[in-house]
Amino acid sequence: LQPLIAAGRPPSEQVELLAAADLIVRYQAMRGWPARRRTGWICHGLPVELAVERALDPDLSGYDVSTFGVACREAAIKGVQEGEALAGRMAVWPDLDDLFISLEPQTVGVVWGALRRLWNGGQLKRERRVVSVCPRCATPLSSSEAARRTVEAEARTAWVRLPWDGEPDTYLLVWVPVPWMLVGMVALAANPRTQYVLVEVPSGEDLPPDQASARSGRLLVAEAALKHTITGDYRIVRRLSGRSLRGTRYHPPFTFLAAGSSAGQVLLSDEVPLDQGTGLWPVTPAFDAPSLALAQRHGLPVPEMLDDWGALGEAVTHWRGLSPLDAEPLLIEDLQARGLLFDEHTGASQRALCPHCETPLLPLARSVWTLETPGGPWVVSRDRVWGVPLPVWECQQCDNALCVAGLDDLARRTATDLTQIDPHRPAVDRLAVPCEKCGGTMRRVAAVLDASLESAVLSNTSLPQQGTVSLVIGVGEERLGWLGDFAKVAALLRGSQAWEQVLAMPESGPEATWDLERHAPADVLRWAAYTNTTPHQAERDFVRPLWRLIVSLLGSSGVQSERTRGATDELLDRWLAARLHRAATATTHALDAREPGRAAGELAALVSDLAVWYVPRRPGAGREFLKPLTLLLAPFAPHLAEA
């Protein structure tokens, strides 16, 4: 079962996971196949931190790392207590032997041990990458996190002409898919495998003077991109090979960056696209992954143009302090005023939001720790406080680095009593390790671990090392979120397929529609989880009609003589017996296929048929059918079935 988040997640998610797991466990037991449920509590990560920040706001400024960590610990403990109370209220069968709580030191040690294995295999390493960064949370996120929440937003693209040195009234025409990134442009890239053309464009007589001048003159573009770049009349002046452009210079659109010998030049790259744009690509290594790779090959600078909170920094004098998205319209206006904007286009595009705070994400170059997985690099480090500290110590005198294998290993290396080690920030940051290479002092790196990796590691390490899990239950899509993380870690740590069957619970509706107050019947919460509805809908559409049906059947005598029982009554009773058998068969098949929604639909249809068809035609009868109905209800609504 997907571990439960101690704080900061909607209550509906806990209910969905608990209800689904308990339904399957009860069903398995009723069929004579007892099952063990393994799960736990994740007490770290951004959900917990953001819940604490919201609770403390606006008093957060007085908190340092230590006091903020204490607040997170208290919130996590309270969340676990409330979650266990909710599980008891829902009659979820506990399995305490297979329950972990990530807050406990020994559990942190288990995560460290798994990371040491990955470190030894060369899969855990630090590198500079362009990653999705949340300005509000001030930390990089993984690609799966960045893909979880997107919205359609208005996006602008621009075609910018940059003066070409040594050629009067001649411009390099550049397509810029994200205009605000031009503040960090350090070079242009051309494709050496294609032909370029210098074309002369007449001034547009039907355009305003300021626009006409910007859309005329001589422009250099790739010949393959000519037709979809320049519409209207033009004259080809000459052709040039892509290789001949190497080292030629241009005037940058902005002068925020210090001029250097390598800046403002045209570089060559086979990766410059020809199916879109102009065949000339702006090299913005601080914001674009291909640009970063190109800059690293050519020794170009990777400027830091944004501050720690994702706003334009002091170097961007015109718009410092603004978010890049807010500054983009102003930047385009500035280009137009200087006659550099050839054209622009506005259209709908998908924008990634932080799944924790819904802030638009920014692609930024950062030094991050990654884990190599079958699906590609996973950014597992977070620039935060409350998380499992990354167990990597680095020497301050040499380049030596080590990953400790657990709390006992750290205690031995630091000559510290194991029971006195608090494996959380800032306490663990104070522990220095002597360097075995040069005798210097080793300090822990600042990053903490992605709670999603922690969750996937603990879920896998709580299982036998060999074999495949019979059933995995999680919320969301199979390839995103915890289910995808679990599968990746299973391949790394256990070398096996992640599961035989998977139950992917759909994400619930708006959090505000879930009321977990004491007066809400627990079976209503369970039914809402099975059917992906709200408690209000579950109570109105199923639980109340079911209760009225039960009261009606209980009110029947259950005794009728053969003389008063006519042929029609006998036919109705035979129909009801067949209907119950069909519902039992269909529900069994649905639960065997791990489809609680379909199973619940079969039960709802049965209750509707009984209430609408049978009871009005056989008043005072049907009590003998309460037992099979109760057995069908037992794993779904245990309180009601017990009553």
Side-chain angles (χ1 to χ4, degrees):
L1 175 66
Q2 175 178 340
L4 304 171
I5 306 298
R9 297 296 300 161
S12 57
E13 185 174 292
Q14 286 189 6
V15 172
E16 286 179 345
L17 290 169
L18 290 170
D22 195 58
L23 169 64
I24 299 299
V25 169
R26 287 176 179 272
Y27 168 72
Q28 293 287 103
M30 291 179 71
R31 299 284 287 173
W33 305 319
R36 296 185 67 182
R37 184 186 71 243
R38 288 182 167 90
T39 188
W41 287 95
I42 297 300
C43 302
H44 301 120
L46 274 170
V48 178
E49 290 186 282
L50 294 188
V52 171
E53 289 180 6
R54 295 185 185 107
L56 295 177
D57 187 64
D59 301 325
L60 190 61
S61 58
Y63 280 71
D64 57 14
V65 171
S66 179
T67 52
F68 183 71
V70 170
C72 290
R73 183 189 299 270
E74 292 173 351
I77 293 173
K78 180 181 178 183
V80 171
Q81 293 171 343
E82 292 176 348
E84 291 177 341
L86 175 63
R89 176 183 164 198
M90 293 174 60
V92 173
W93 288 351
D95 201 346
L96 299 180
D97 292 338
D98 293 317
L99 180 71
F100 62 80
I101 299 178
S102 71
L103 190 66
E104 298 173 347
Q106 61 267 32
T107 310
V108 174
V110 170
V111 178
W112 283 7
L115 291 178
R116 172 64 175 267
R117 286 176 54 192
L118 298 170
W119 171 276
N120 290 342
Q123 292 142 316
L124 180 64
K125 56 188 177 182
R126 179 161 56 187
E127 57 184 335
R128 191 169 181 82
R129 298 180 61 88
V130 173
V131 295
S132 296
V133 174
C134 174
R136 160 62 184 79
C137 299
T139 185
L141 302 178
S142 66
S143 57
S144 63
E145 279 180 297
R148 285 178 202 168
R149 184 164 301 178
T150 58
V151 295
E152 190 172 275
E154 184 180 271
R156 305 172 88 168
T157 58
W159 285 260
V160 178
R161 52 183 212 156
L162 303 177
W164 196 9
D165 273 5
E167 296 276 349
D169 196 28
T170 303
Y171 303 88
L172 305 178
L173 188 59
V174 184
W175 179 59
V176 187
V178 186
W180 67 261
M181 293 184 181
L182 283 175
V183 299
M185 178 179 170
V186 299
L188 267 179
N191 195 313
R193 297 180 292 106
T194 194
Q195 192 86 353
Y196 286 78
V197 291
L198 187 62
V199 300
E200 189 168 13
V201 179
S203 60
E205 298 179 357
D206 56 341
L207 295 175
D210 57 338
Q211 296 184 28
S213 61
R215 295 182 66 89
S216 61
R218 297 199 298 176
L219 305 172
L220 182 73
V221 298
E223 189 166 13
L226 186 57
K227 291 185 178 179
H228 65 255
T229 299
I230 300 177
T231 58
D233 297 333
Y234 59 83
R235 181 177 66 86
I236 296 179
V237 177
R238 70 174 184 268
R239 287 179 168 83
L240 305 89
S241 69
R243 294 186 182 279
S244 68
L245 298 177
R246 180 178 183 176
T248 59
R249 305 190 70 88
Y250 66 91
H251 293 282
F254 300 105
T255 55
F256 302 133
L257 304 176
S261 58
S262 59
Q265 288 192 37
V266 177
L267 309 175
L268 300 182
S269 172
D270 292 338
E271 298 177 1
V272 174
L274 300 175
D275 58 339
Q276 57 180 344
T278 67
L280 293 168
W281 188 261
V283 180
T284 55
F287 315 121
D288 174 59
S291 295
L292 178 61
L294 193 61
Q296 290 172 336
R297 285 200 302 269
H298 290 270
L300 295 174
V302 183
E304 292 286 346
M305 307 304 296
L306 276 64
D307 61 20
D308 292 338
W309 296 98
L312 294 172
E314 290 295 325
V316 189
T317 53
H318 292 48
W319 308 293
R320 61 178 177 271
L322 293 178
S323 76
L325 296 177
D326 290 338
E328 189 170 74
L330 304 177
L331 181 148
I332 291 176
E333 288 180 8
D334 180 80
L335 292 172
Q336 186 172 22
R338 292 187 285 129
L340 300 181
L341 184 66
F342 178 79
D343 200 2
E344 67 169 313
H345 175 71
T346 301
S349 177
Q350 292 296 312
R351 177 171 294 167
L353 303 181
C354 175
H356 308 289
C357 69
E358 299 188 352
T359 300
L361 301 179
L362 300 175
L364 301 176
R366 289 287 185 269
S367 177
V368 294
W369 289 86
T370 62
L371 179 64
E372 286 297 327
T373 71
W378 177 354
V379 179
V380 299
S381 59
R382 298 292 179 267
D383 299 336
R384 298 290 304 190
V385 172
W386 186 243
V388 171
L390 200 64
V392 177
W393 270 254
E394 293 181 333
C395 182
Q396 297 177 315
Q397 280 77 39
C398 68
D399 59 353
N400 189 29
L402 69 89
C403 179
V404 301
L407 295 182
D408 52 350
D409 186 24
L410 180 61
R412 178 183 61 83
R413 292 177 181 276
T414 58
T416 306
D417 184 353
L418 177 63
T419 62
Q420 300 302 310
I421 293 180
D422 175 11
H424 290 95
R425 297 190 66 195
V428 72
D429 296 336
R430 303 189 190 105
L431 297 178
V433 174
C435 179
E436 297 177 350
K437 187 175 181 180
C438 72
T441 301
M442 305 185 79
R443 294 288 182 183
R444 196 191 71 83
V445 299
V448 297
L449 198 64
D450 177 10
S452 299
L453 176 61
E454 172 192 7
S455 177
V457 165
L458 290 174
S459 299
N460 275 281
T461 53
S462 67
L463 299 170
Q465 287 300 305
Q466 302 296 326
T468 303
V469 182
S470 300
L471 173 67
V472 171
I473 303 174
V475 173
E477 300 178 30
E478 285 188 32
R479 298 306 169 194
L480 293 177
W482 179 81
L483 289 170
D485 297 340
F486 178 85
K488 287 186 285 190
V489 174
L492 291 173
L493 294 183
R494 294 192 292 117
S496 67
Q497 182 180 332
W499 54 68
E500 294 176 2
Q501 282 185 301
V502 61
L503 171 50
M505 299 291 291
E507 294 191 32
S508 64
E511 178 183 351
T513 62
W514 280 75
D515 183 6
L516 300 188
E517 293 299 326
R518 290 287 176 186
H519 64 266
D523 284 350
V524 167
L525 300 179
R526 294 176 68 115
W527 193 261
Y530 308 141
T531 56
N532 195 32
T533 57
T534 66
H536 172 72
Q537 292 171 311
E539 185 168 17
R540 180 195 65 198
D541 298 340
F542 179 74
V543 176
R544 287 190 180 278
L546 172 64
W547 183 247
R548 287 194 293 267
L549 171 65
I550 292 174
V551 169
S552 175
L553 295 177
L554 284 170
S556 62
S557 64
V559 178
Q560 280 190 313
S561 66
E562 289 297 327
R563 286 189 302 105
T564 61
R565 187 166 179 256
T568 302
D569 297 334
E570 183 179 352
L571 184 62
L572 284 170
D573 290 346
R574 288 174 59 192
W575 171 86
L576 179 55
R579 182 68 183 86
L580 279 165
H581 177 75
R582 191 181 105 189
T585 302
T587 302
T588 300
H589 289 164
L591 290 178
D592 283 342
R594 310 311 183 204
E595 298 179 17
R598 180 160 66 92
E602 295 289 347
L603 273 182
L606 172 64
V607 170
S608 177
D609 287 349
L610 290 176
V612 175
W613 179 257
Y614 180 80
V615 170
R617 289 165 176 77
R618 286 283 280 144
R623 186 166 188 154
E624 65 272 22
F625 297 112
L626 271 175
K627 181 177 179 179
L629 179 61
T630 302
L631 290 174
L632 278 175
L633 287 172
F636 292 88
H639 296 87
L640 194 55
E642 183 83 3

